[in-house]
Structure formats: structure tokens, C-alpha cells
Amino acid sequence: MSPRQLPVVEFGAPVSAVPRGTPAADTPGDSRLVEFRPETRVLPAFFVWTLGCQMNRSDSEEMAGRLLASGCAEAPSMETADLVVINTCAIREAAENKVIGRQGVLARLKTANPGMRVVLTGCSVRTSNRAGLAKRYPAVDLFLRPDEEPELIDRLGLASAQAPVGALAMTAATTLVKGAEVSDASHLVRARADAIAGGAVSRGSAISAWLPIIYGCDKTCTYCIVPFSRGPERSRPFDEIVAEARALAAAGYREVTLLGQNVNSYGHDLAPEPRFAHVQTQRTVGRAQDRTERPDLAELVRAVDAIRTGDGAPAIPRLRFVTSHPWDLSDRLIEAMAACPSLCEALHLPVQSGSDAMLRRMGRQYTISHYLERLARIRDAVPGIALSTDIITGFCGETDEEYADTIRLLETVRYDQVFAAAYSERPGTPATHLADDVPADVKRRRLVDLLAVQEGIGLERNRAWLGQTANVLLDTVVPLRAHSHDDEDADEEAAGTTASRDAFAHLPEGMAHLLGRSRESKLVHVAAPPALLGTEVNVLIEHAGPYALRGRLA
Ligand code: SAH
Ligand code: SF4
Ligand code: F3S
């Protein structure tokens, strides 16, 4: 069966639907009006459940946008939806288990609502594992690879002349990644352009926006599923990105995050142009790459920063990018970071391990000394910059000494934030040829110990803010606790929300408990009038925890 003939989801006639062409009770009985009568078929109410990284969140905004543009309404919950779209993450087994664990609940919802359909997309759907998906996810009706998401509307039979936002038959080409067949994914760039032109991106926030600039990943990290689920790197055209940023500025967005698995390699796959003749970046580590006369991230950041208001201030006051791979972190980018006032003083630079031997097994293509040299240069260029990283504990063959190297690295660099996880073997990745030989309890203990070390460092970094003023973009009103939920409790504990809630228990009239991020990406709790939501305020920091700050309006 070719992909085009995948079972198309049919929506059974909803009970409340009025058959097409039947005059509704309140329409005048003029037969000449029949053909002008609006469509009376009831469209499904959808709910998108998004797991994983910012890329998935951005993709979900596009899927929700396409569904809204085709006339569907958004349901407030999975329980009330007729169409559930699950945007999965496959980075670790635990992320996949969350979705597998919900199959029973979904099956029960389908029994109660026989018209309900479930679509599963995101990184758990790959060409190589397609055959086994129906068994793993028995409640799912339709599986779409990440690059097939633009087809969602067509596959569901929801496309209409009013909303040409589907994109059937764009995804035929495939390519090989380490012998595995993956989508060529070059159509994603056009699909995004269509979605933007058709107004089919439903952004989750009116304050901060995601802006995808490059899809896929060409790197060689042996543990990682992303190159297999997302395909090769595909950069969006330079002018389209700048135009989208300009539209976001005009719509009043205060913060834009340029997105990609590796934003630092932006542009290498675009055609050379004379206007980029001055771009001559050479990689100093990793596979060689010809970047001559092609735009790079530095060029892009400068162009977005150059979008100014009448008084010369950056029209988007806060610009960020994520994620950066150390092998593409050029001097040109560091210079742009120092030169552009809108670029926030925060950088996420995943290191994964503090041991060179381990980095080699991981296929990361840089050494710790290269990584530290880059950090020194960045700290020099952008004083006070906050640094964060990703770490994997217990990767194949990790010795006590290699683990100790990682702890030593954390103590040397003193990151503001560390995202760490125990290694989880992913099917089809090169690391499956290595022995996953660190026992689960050792991986776990190393993770817990590492996080404990980092908690002390994070607290110390945050305490340096006491008595200082942070510029905070307020984006959340923290509700009074209405109910208790274990997961939420854990998240809130980490964000310092529980403690702050107590501190803000007796607020004066007209004040609310608001939350936002500083330019350095610190979570900051503050009591402020809710009308300040969406604005940048100065907060005098009075309390520091390991994961968040608290203060009062300065
Ligand atoms: N493209 C980004 C990160 C993508 S995944 C980058 O390279 O920086 C986010 C993080 O998940 C990675 O940085 C890594 O620390 C972690 N990760 C990826 N694969 C993993 C695996 N198999 N087991 C555990 N953690 C993993
Ligand atoms: Fe995965 Fe490495 Fe690509 Fe990041 S750079 S997405 S860790 S392969
Ligand atoms: Fe997960 Fe895919 Fe992102 S595997 S981390 S959702 S790119």
C-alpha cells in the first residue's frame, strides 16, 4: 500500500448533524437560497496534546492553525474532543511510555464517543517503525510522520475550498540517514510558507512566539533519534524568516525564539547569494562544510535585531535562539550576540558529557577544551550571560572517572541551569551497536547526584541576583491553588511556585501573583497588577531559590 492510500479517517455522521441540503428550521423556505446556505455538517472539535521540545510545540501551533482554518473548533480537553492529535516525542523511552500509557483512557473515550478519532504524529512515527505502530498504539486511527503533519487536514477529509491549508502529495521523496529510510523533508519549508500565508498558525501566546528557522538535524550523535525522525537539515529562506519576524513585531510580540534542532548550522543548505559574500565561516570542529556566500545564524540574528520601531529600539525587544550545537558556534555568531541589543543574555549549549572519550562515543565531534574555549569567548563577549546545558548520565560504557569528569565540568563552568537525563537506548540509533551496559540504578544514582550538585550551583548563581534588578517579561498569572495534582506539584516545586504562592497568599487589592522570565531566562515571581501581563518590568530580587527568583516591582 502506498502512503497515499493510508486509511483516511472517516468521521461518522455526528448525531446532531443536519443532513446537507436540509433547510434548517429557522431558515426561510426560499428554495433559491438552498445552494447559498452555509455548510451544516458538524466539524470535529479538536484537542492537541503536545509532548517534547519547542519544535513540537511550534509544529502543534501549525496543526492547530490548519484545523482552525478548516473550520474546526478547539476543545478545552481531550475528554470533550472529537479529534485528538497527539504530537509525540521519542527522545527517551519514558516520553513514549506516557503516550502508550494513555491508550486505555483513549479507548474508553472512543467507546463513549464513537465518532472520536485519534491521530498520532511527531517523532514516534518513522518510516522504519510504521508497521508496528498500530500494535503499540491501539487507540490511534491515523499515524503521520512529523513531515506529514501538513497533510493532516487532507488525510482527515477536512480540506475545503475556503481553507486550502492541506498539503497532500508533498512528502513522497525519501533519503537515507545511516541506512535508514527517512523523509527528505524539503517540502516543510514550503508548507510553513503556505501556513503563514494562509494565516494557519495558531500561536499559543500573544507575548512570546516560536519561529522555526531550520528543520531536521545532520549531526552524528550516536544516542539520538532526532535525525531519524526529523530527517536532514533544511533551512527556511532568509527573507521569509525576516518577514515572519516583522509580522510578529507588528502583531505586538515582545519575544521571539528562533527554533531548530541546531540553529547554528542555519543556512548551509541554501543557495549562495552575492549579498552574503562576506559570510565565510569555516567550521573549526566536526565535518567540513562549505558556507561561502550563504546566510548564517549571525546574519539572521542581525537582520531580526535590525527591525526597529520609530524611535530606533528593537521592535522585538527580546530575541533568543535554541538549540546550539557547539561544533557550529562561530566567532561571527558570538560577535552578533555582543552587538545586537535584542539578543537575550542567555545561551543553551548542550555539552552531554565532561569526558572527551565519552564525547567520542557519543559522536559529538568536539572536545571539552574546544567547548570551554567557546564558553570563555562568549562570556568575554557578553558579560553576565546565563549558561545552560544538557547532560546524559550512564551512556554506554560510562566509567566512574568519566562521570566524575562531567561533575568536574559542572563545577568549572557553573551553569545557571542543567537539563539532565539518564541514557535511554533508542531503536535504530548508532548507539544500539554499543553495549547499554551501565545498570539502570547506576544511571539513576548518577543522575540524582548530578542534579544535587547542580542544585547547589544553581542556588549560588541565583543568590548573586539578590539586591539586583532584573528585567522581567511577565507572561503568566499564577492561579490560586484550586486542586492538587502530583505532576503539577512536582513542576511547581521545581519552578519555586509553591513557595512563592505562600509568599503571595495575602496580596493587596488589585495585585496578582505574576510570573515571567528575565533576559537571562531566570523564572521570576512578582506581585503586580494583572494589567502588566505582556510587559517588561524591572523587579528588585529579594529571594533566590535554586530554580527561581522572587522580588518586588522596582
Ligand atoms: N538538538 C539539541 C537537543 C535535542 S534533544 C541538541 O543537540 O542540543 C535534547 C536532549 O535530549 C539532548 O541534548 C540530550 O541531552 C537528550 N537526549 C537525546 N537523546 C537521548 C537519549 N537517547 N537518552 C537520554 N537523553 C537523550
Ligand atoms: Fe540529536 Fe545531536 Fe541532532 Fe541534537 S545535534 S538533535 S542531540 S543528533
Ligand atoms: Fe522529542 Fe522530537 Fe523534540 S524526539 S525532543 S519532540 S525533536
Side-chain angles (χ1 to χ4, degrees):
M1 186 163 58
S2 88
R4 292 282 76 75
Q5 293 164 320
L6 263 178
V8 168
V9 177
E10 296 289 353
F11 285 95
V15 197
S16 59
V18 183
R20 246 180 251 214
T22 311
D26 57 352
T27 38
D30 185 337
S31 63
R32 289 168 305 167
L33 289 180
V34 169
E35 65 188 291
F36 301 112
R37 210 164 280 136
E39 178 72 74
T40 47
R41 184 174 59 137
V42 173
L43 291 165
F46 69 89
F47 181 82
V48 184
W49 177 24
T50 307
L51 299 101
C53 64
Q54 296 95 332
M55 209 68 206
N56 260 17
R57 286 198 245 167
S58 172
D59 291 347
S60 287
E61 291 185 344
E62 223 175 284
M63 285 191 283
R66 290 176 197 278
L67 286 163
L68 288 168
S70 72
C72 299
E74 196 160 2
S77 65
M78 204 181 272
E79 289 72 23
T80 52
D82 311 303
L83 169 64
V84 174
V85 179
I86 309 175
N87 197 359
T88 58
C89 172
I91 205 81
R92 286 175 285 271
E93 197 182 3
E96 300 206 283
N97 285 343
K98 267 192 208 169
V99 177
I100 294 170
R102 285 280 190 102
Q103 294 304 296
V105 174
L106 287 165
R108 281 195 290 284
L109 288 173
K110 287 175 83 168
T111 310
N113 175 6
M116 180 179 170
R117 293 295 178 265
V118 180
V119 178
L120 188 130
T121 180
C123 294
S124 293
V125 186
R126 300 180 292 280
T127 307
S128 58
N129 71 353
R130 202 150 218 165
L133 288 173
K135 212 167 157 196
R136 280 192 105 182
Y137 305 96
V140 173
D141 301 283
L142 177 66
F143 295 96
L144 297 175
R145 285 192 317 243
D147 65 288
E148 292 171 328
E149 286 167 12
E151 298 177 15
L152 178 67
I153 303 299
D154 289 276
R155 291 287 189 91
L156 293 174
L158 294 170
S160 72
Q162 294 79 41
V165 290
L168 207 55
M170 295 209 309
T171 55
T174 58
T175 182
L176 290 181
V177 170
K178 297 191 180 78
E181 192 185 348
V182 303
S183 162
D184 157 83
S186 46
H187 62 282
L188 287 179
V189 165
R190 210 182 80 217
R192 176 71 182 187
D194 288 349
I196 290 291
V201 178
S202 170
R203 300 193 191 265
S205 159
I207 302 165
S208 300
W210 308 117
L211 204 178
I213 65 167
I214 180 168
Y215 298 104
C217 181
D218 281 352
K219 301 296 183 289
T220 53
C221 311
T222 52
Y223 51 80
C224 187
I225 195 78
V226 174
F228 303 91
S229 57
R230 297 260 170 188
E233 289 174 356
R234 301 287 178 214
S235 300
R236 292 181 64 199
F238 188 85
D239 295 333
E240 278 181 26
I241 298 169
V242 177
E244 191 174 328
R246 195 171 285 119
L248 290 168
Y253 279 89
R254 310 308 292 158
E255 183 173 69
V256 167
T257 303
L258 307 179
L259 277 190
Q261 284 307 334
N262 282 289
V263 287
N264 290 1
S265 55
Y266 172 76
H268 71 87
D269 54 324
L270 296 175
E273 288 181 66
R275 63 173 163 156
F276 298 118
H278 56 284
V279 182
Q280 302 281 348
T281 314
Q282 282 311 311
R283 268 181 178 166
T284 49
V285 286
R287 258 194 320 243
Q289 194 176 65
D290 181 12
R291 307 209 54 132
T292 316
E293 291 194 24
R294 292 159 169 97
D296 62 356
L297 181 62
E299 207 65 16
L300 192 58
V301 156
R302 286 179 189 270
V304 175
D305 181 76
I307 305 171
R308 298 295 169 109
T309 59
D311 59 4
I316 299 163
R318 290 174 170 220
L319 183 59
R320 302 182 189 273
F321 53 81
V322 77
T323 302
S324 291
H325 191 294
W327 88 7
D328 288 314
L329 191 76
S330 66
D331 289 345
R332 281 176 46 81
L333 180 63
I334 296 174
E335 284 156 22
M337 288 170 72
C340 296
S342 64
L343 250 194
C344 288
E345 293 73 22
L347 178 70
H348 183 62
L349 196 64
V351 68
Q352 312 301 353
S353 165
S355 149
D356 282 346
M358 179 57 98
L359 288 176
R360 263 197 308 280
R361 292 206 288 286
M362 288 178 161
R364 290 290 287 183
Q365 309 246 1
Y366 54 82
T367 58
I368 290 300
S369 82
H370 169 82
Y371 182 88
L372 290 176
E373 182 273 332
R374 293 285 86 185
L375 283 195
R377 207 176 259 259
I378 290 159
R379 280 184 157 156
D380 214 36
V382 187
I385 192 167
L387 297 171
S388 54
T389 200
D390 291 346
I391 301 276
I392 299 176
T393 63
F395 183 65
C396 307
E398 188 183 60
T399 62
D400 286 338
E401 292 70 39
E402 287 168 341
Y403 171 69
D405 284 343
T406 302
I407 297 292
R408 233 183 332 272
L409 180 79
L410 298 195
E411 282 164 347
T412 308
V413 174
R414 311 198 75 73
Y415 291 100
D416 290 82
Q417 213 178 350
V418 170
F419 301 89
Y423 173 57
S424 163
E425 188 177 81
R426 308 285 53 223
T429 57
T432 54
H433 300 298
L434 303 172
D436 180 13
D437 53 0
V438 178
D441 59 322
V442 176
K443 284 180 185 171
R444 183 90 211 137
R445 199 180 58 239
R446 285 179 183 170
L447 174 63
V448 170
D449 292 351
L450 182 142
L451 291 172
V453 169
Q454 177 55 33
E455 189 166 289
I457 297 170
L459 182 60
E460 199 186 295
R461 299 281 301 163
N462 283 351
R463 282 203 175 132
W465 279 92
L466 289 172
Q468 308 281 318
T469 300
N471 179 271
V472 180
L473 175 59
L474 298 171
D475 60 8
T476 308
V477 178
V478 180
L480 294 169
R481 182 187 295 276
H483 62 100
S484 182
H485 187 287
D486 286 352
D487 267 7
E488 282 167 25
D489 279 355
D491 287 353
E492 292 195 348
E493 199 52 54
T497 304
T498 319
S500 295
R501 240 200 207 109
D502 297 340
F504 296 137
H506 306 286
L507 288 171
E509 185 71 18
M511 299 289 259
H513 175 181
L514 300 190
L515 185 59
R517 285 197 183 265
S518 73
R519 290 179 60 89
E520 299 78 12
S521 252
K522 302 275 179 198
L523 268 177
V524 181
H525 296 265
V526 64
L532 290 182
L533 207 65
T535 67
E536 285 177 287
V537 297
N538 287 325
V539 178
L540 179 65
I541 303 302
E542 297 176 320
H543 179 271
Y547 307 107
L549 303 171
R550 191 168 76 226
R552 63 180 159 84
L553 290 178

